Amino acid sequence: MNTRVYLAKLIDVLLPVLAMLVALLVGILLLLLLGSDPVKAYSALIQGALGNVSGITQTLTKATPLLLVGLGICIAFRGGVINIGGEGQIVVGALAATAFAVSFSKLPGLILLPLTLLSAAAAGLVWGGIPGLLKARLGVNEILTTVMMNQIALRLMNFLLRGPLLDPEHVAAGTSIPQSAALPESIWLPRLVPRTLFHSGAILAVLLALAVYFLLWRTTIGYRIRAVGLNPHASRYAGIPVPKYVTLSLALSGMLCGLAGAVEVLGVHHRMLEGLSGGYGFSGIVAALFGKLHPLGAIPASALFGALLVGADKMQRAVQVPSALAIALQGLVVLFVVSSDLYVRRRTRRRVGEDGPEEAVEGAQFEEPPAGTGEGANVASADVASEGAGREEDK
Amino acid sequence: MIDELFTISTLIGILHSCVRLATPYLFAALGETFGQRSGVLNLGVDGIMLMGAFFAFYVVFEGHNLWVGVLVAVAVGVLMGMLKAFVSVTMQSLQGISGIGLYLFGLGLSSLLFKTLIGSVEGVSGFRQLAIPLLSDLPGIGHILFNHNILVYLAYLMVPVSWFVINRTTLGLKIRAVGHNPEAADTLGVSVNGVRYTTLMIGGALAAVAGASLSIGLQNVFQENMTNGLGFIAVALVYFGSWRTVGVLGGALLFSLVNALQLWAQALNIPIPSEVAVMMPYIMTIVVLAFTARQIQKPAALARSYERGE
Amino acid sequence: MFDSLKAVQAEMGGESALEIAFSEGMFRVTDASAAIRDYASEGFDLVIAHGAQYGNSVFEVASDFTETSFAWGTSSDTGAERGFENVFAYGAVANEGGFVNGVVAAMLTETDVIGVIGPVAGDAKLYIDGFVRGVTEIKPDAQVNISYTGSFSDTTLAAEAAHVHIQAGADVLTGSAQQVVGAIGVASENGVAWLGTQSDQMSLGPDVVVTNQVYDWANVITDMIAKVEAGELGGTVYRLTFANEGLRLEFNESLEIADEVKEAARGAIEDIKSGDVDPVLIEEE
């Protein structure tokens, strides 16, 4: 790989950051229109997210669920499906973790913690797996089902937090705040910095990012998931059971979101309460996008996006602008980042023309997983068709 | 007690509710159908709806005519559709994700404008119930179908109009061609990007009217995030309706019927747990689609960007 | 809450006397937690977390900032048992207002059918229970139909629920949570009476909102500030009731309301104040 290609790849990586800066420039306009001082606002944003220990730990605390959800989104996108059911999967994961930990609170922590995480993973797996199965076997579009499953999960939570899972202490006190009992202290994820919310779930998330990378680029399963995502027809001719891998990618995606829910419960709140998913299901998609839909890229991307979210909150407090501004800016960031992709793809094609065809055919070879091509593959396959994986193959 | 649900007057009430509830879904889902038939998935419908709801409300709140409110909403919807088109068609970005960006942008901006320009939740006098003379006197059917505000009628009128445009006009032919095989359409001299811009602008306009139907038709207030994810359901209904206008109508009606049923069952004190009742519309939609999905033919080029070969 | 704060500020002599900073839209509890910690470290004397879900965060921060005073609600937990001395708790006894609104509803209804629109079963229980109790106090045979939308923000479904109640014969409606704004619009269009609670809803339906249960936090805030200045940083549980004037029932002045309705309402308030009536639903059967 020569220097020119290396430079070009550097630009690919930095492009989302540039796009984000452009979006923030538009934010200056909005701030001026609101009569706020943009310099004060943005210095509060940067200061708030990165300026001191408190800011940095908040950023990393927020990055943790974003990374976990983002990893789930990566798998789904690589498998050629859209998972907008992250919200619901987070909720059922958190509910399952809570229900399990509260029911078996007598177990020693060393046994209880892995089992709690497992039950959350299983719940997420099911909540993602149902849309997966419906798509693979019956051709039901996953956008429809994941949207509906979000609503069902939300209502399930409303019910459980007011009924079976409601904190008995609250029932006794008659206050009926919709939240569960506290989880046993033995399984709280240890805080990494005292007096902050930053907890060891972050380490788990990074380890899982490595695991997802390994799964997608170093195992046959991962290779097949990506093959199905790139070209379901060709995959079918190559003998890959497409429906199985469609189901699998949505189920794994749901599993990671479910884990995100469990980690929020175990690391941050120590109990299940309303508003726990708080839009991470959508923000995680954005974080994954920042990371070019690559599990390793998702690590810095979720930190960056976490910083943006934390900073935007600080900005709101510093200059007293409505919090909606941060949401609008988030939307603009997404629009600019996805648009900047065009430049990458155009250049990729040129590069293919100049440097020979190796990079272009990545993922189009179906016999063996191409070794060591993980870095390059993201550009070409970032434009996965969100549709079509399940439809025709099962006729 | 359950038989109370099946008296004639209750059944009429349920169907009346169903017809009205389907209104915003119809506008939004029909709009989305145009985009998807031309091959563009727009997940940002909810954001456009919120913008439409806000602007329609704001115009009326400032003392202008209701129809001016609708027109302004349409204009805003067209602009949002153009934004989506620019990002998805010109910049060829990932359609699913750019839709989410559009949603967040619309959600944030509409709330921001609301906070800045109005500040607190206020009411306006919106479109009134307009009983159609003679027709509304028909027994049963008259109340169910012909006793609504004018935006409700308009939503149902959009069904045959959309069907006609898609199936019987040159534009419709181009839309279907572009959605099915953009390369071939391009070869035949159809501007793929032009068609997609058009459909997204139509979709934006209809989504904005869907929002307006809430803020100055059915509820006469504006509140932050008042759509509550309704736009996402509308997108889902397009899949449900197999990309056909009549199918979309059926989906919207079914979803609304289950909602109307559960509201009526609760209001009549029929002992079903409300926890289950409120989940029913979503579960039903999935179940019905699981049984019918196999026959669906989707636009072949849906969610695929198109770039002319050079 | 914020309006009450502003009112207290104005009374104390404007911004120079009392500095207020606030954050809204804290849908994620972690964000609220960060905000609470920020305000504490920025040196604010009193940090108010208005939302029951913020309880955990309040106690966590309060244990790190023992010199700062915190308040949260709706709750009755000041953590005193666990050794906290710097946390206030506050809440409204919403069933009192519910009871009075129930009495008003029973007086107003001619069809003897009354509709209630709730968010999620189990929530707003205090208000709804009090309301039903108030109705049965006056008209034991009146029918109270309660429907839940399953959401706090689904204005569309709340609006349709209002339609359904009206068609099912209800001529007086009430409801709670932010979603009811849509339902008030429907009540207004159909000329059906609406009884408001929690916030000022009269502007939403000037022709139909008959009464409004208003929470007035001003006394609570003033008292908390006085306590903090005197060095008492927490420990008190505040309850908004009719007796301490934290709850008020407002009549819509632009409507002609029959005197006997007003008198019944005032009578009910007096009964609650004197303890003659317990506005808690007695389970039937």
Side-chain angles (χ1 to χ4, degrees), chain A residues 24 27 31 37-38 40-46 48 309-322 325-326 329:
Chain A
L24 290 178
L31 281 165
D37 177 359
K40 194 176 161 203
Y42 278 153
S43 56
L45 188 147
I46 296 166
L309 292 180
V310 169
D313 264 350
K314 283 281 165 57
M315 177 176 86
Q316 188 219 330
R317 286 199 284 282
V319 294
Q320 298 276 301
V321 289
L325 176 69
L329 279 182

Side-chain angles (χ1 to χ4, degrees), chain A residues 4-85:
Chain A
R4 193 159 46 92
V5 175
Y6 180 77
L7 262 178
K9 284 200 169 162
L10 192 68
I11 294 176
D12 292 355
V13 172
L14 288 181
L15 210 59
V17 181
L18 286 176
M20 183 166 134
L21 291 179
V22 176
L24 290 178
L25 281 178
V26 179
I28 292 183
L29 269 180
L30 286 174
L31 281 165
L32 286 173
L33 285 176
L34 286 171
S36 301
D37 177 359
V39 178
K40 194 176 161 203
Y42 278 153
S43 56
L45 188 147
I46 296 166
Q47 184 69 21
L50 305 166
N52 50 34
V53 176
S54 152
I56 293 170
T57 55
Q58 280 178 39
T59 295
L60 294 177
T61 308
K62 185 150 277 189
T64 304
L66 288 176
L67 175 55
L68 285 167
V69 174
L71 290 174
I73 302 300
C74 287
I75 296 183
F77 265 91
R78 295 293 172 179
V81 280
I82 281 192
N83 177 13
I84 46 180

Side-chain angles (χ1 to χ4, degrees), chain A residues 89 92-93 118-132 247-248 250-259:
Chain A
Q89 292 148 9
V92 294
L118 270 181
S119 44
L125 196 82
V126 169
W127 220 252
I130 292 174
T247 311
L248 189 66
L250 266 171
L252 287 177
S253 184
M255 185 188 84
L256 285 159
C257 295
L259 278 173

Side-chain angles (χ1 to χ4, degrees), chain A residues 64-276:
Chain A
T64 304
L66 288 176
L67 175 55
L68 285 167
V69 174
L71 290 174
I73 302 300
C74 287
I75 296 183
F77 265 91
R78 295 293 172 179
V81 280
I82 281 192
N83 177 13
I84 46 180
E87 288 285 298
Q89 292 148 9
I90 293 172
V91 165
V92 294
L95 284 171
T98 307
F100 189 87
V102 170
S103 315
F104 298 96
S105 58
K106 297 284 182 292
L107 287 175
L110 268 179
I111 301 173
L112 185 57
L113 179 60
L115 288 179
T116 302
L117 287 172
L118 270 181
S119 44
L125 196 82
V126 169
W127 220 252
I130 292 174
L133 205 62
L134 286 171
K135 173 161 185 120
R137 293 287 163 205
L138 298 169
V140 183
N141 182 274
E142 78 277 14
I143 293 178
L144 184 149
T145 35
T146 47
V147 165
M148 301 283 167
M149 296 289 277
N150 280 345
Q151 298 290 336
I152 297 171
L154 214 64
R155 283 159 177 77
L156 187 69
M157 174 188 79
N158 282 338
F159 166 61
L160 289 177
L161 286 186
R162 286 170 182 78
L165 279 183
L166 179 61
D167 188 353
E169 277 181 31
H170 283 299
V171 179
T175 42
S176 73
I177 299 168
Q179 58 183 25
S180 77
L183 269 55
E185 210 168 329
S186 60
I187 58 167
W188 293 3
L189 296 174
R191 296 267 152 99
L192 296 178
V193 179
R195 289 166 58 131
T196 69
L197 294 176
F198 184 42
H199 58 86
S200 46
I203 299 173
L204 179 71
V206 171
L207 289 177
L208 280 169
L210 295 171
V212 169
Y213 170 73
F214 186 81
L215 172 82
L216 282 176
W217 274 282
R218 293 286 185 277
T219 67
T220 317
I221 294 178
Y223 166 72
R224 289 182 170 179
I225 288 178
R226 287 185 300 129
V228 168
L230 276 176
N231 192 336
H233 299 284
S235 301
R236 189 156 49 101
Y237 287 119
I240 300 177
V242 172
K244 184 177 146 194
Y245 285 93
V246 167
T247 311
L248 189 66
S249 44
L250 266 171
L252 287 177
S253 184
M255 185 188 84
L256 285 159
C257 295
L259 278 173
V263 164
E264 281 295 282
V265 167
L266 290 166
V268 179
H269 307 295
H270 302 145
R271 64 173 81 222
M272 176 69 190
L273 32 76
E274 283 186 324
L276 178 120

Side-chain angles (χ1 to χ4, degrees), chain A residues 54 58 61-62 66 154-155 158-159 162 170 173-179 191 195-197 264 268-271 273-280 283 309-310 313-314 316-317 320-324 327 330, chain C residues 2 20-39 42 52-53 55-57 60 63-65 72 74-77 120-123 125-126 149-152 154 157 239:
Chain A
S54 152
Q58 280 178 39
T61 308
K62 185 150 277 189
L66 288 176
L154 214 64
R155 283 159 177 77
N158 282 338
F159 166 61
R162 286 170 182 78
H170 283 299
T175 42
S176 73
I177 299 168
Q179 58 183 25
R191 296 267 152 99
R195 289 166 58 131
T196 69
L197 294 176
E264 281 295 282
V268 179
H269 307 295
H270 302 145
R271 64 173 81 222
L273 32 76
E274 283 186 324
L276 178 120
S277 64
Y280 287 132
S283 307
L309 292 180
V310 169
D313 264 350
K314 283 281 165 57
Q316 188 219 330
R317 286 199 284 282
Q320 298 276 301
V321 289
S323 61
I327 301 175
Q330 218 186 100
Chain C
F2 188 63
I20 302 176
F22 87 113
S23 310
E24 40 86 45
M26 298 278 109
F27 300 116
R28 297 190 189 93
V29 175
T30 22
D31 296 349
S33 176
I36 294 167
R37 192 172 283 276
D38 268 9
Y39 285 139
E42 279 164 25
Q53 67 273 36
N56 287 330
S57 316
E60 199 162 305
S63 63
D64 291 340
F65 292 87
W72 72 299
T74 302
S75 168
S76 56
D77 182 10
V120 176
D123 258 62
K125 190 169 164 39
L126 279 179
T149 60
S151 160
F152 297 90
D154 198 334
L157 216 51
R239 285 263 156 265

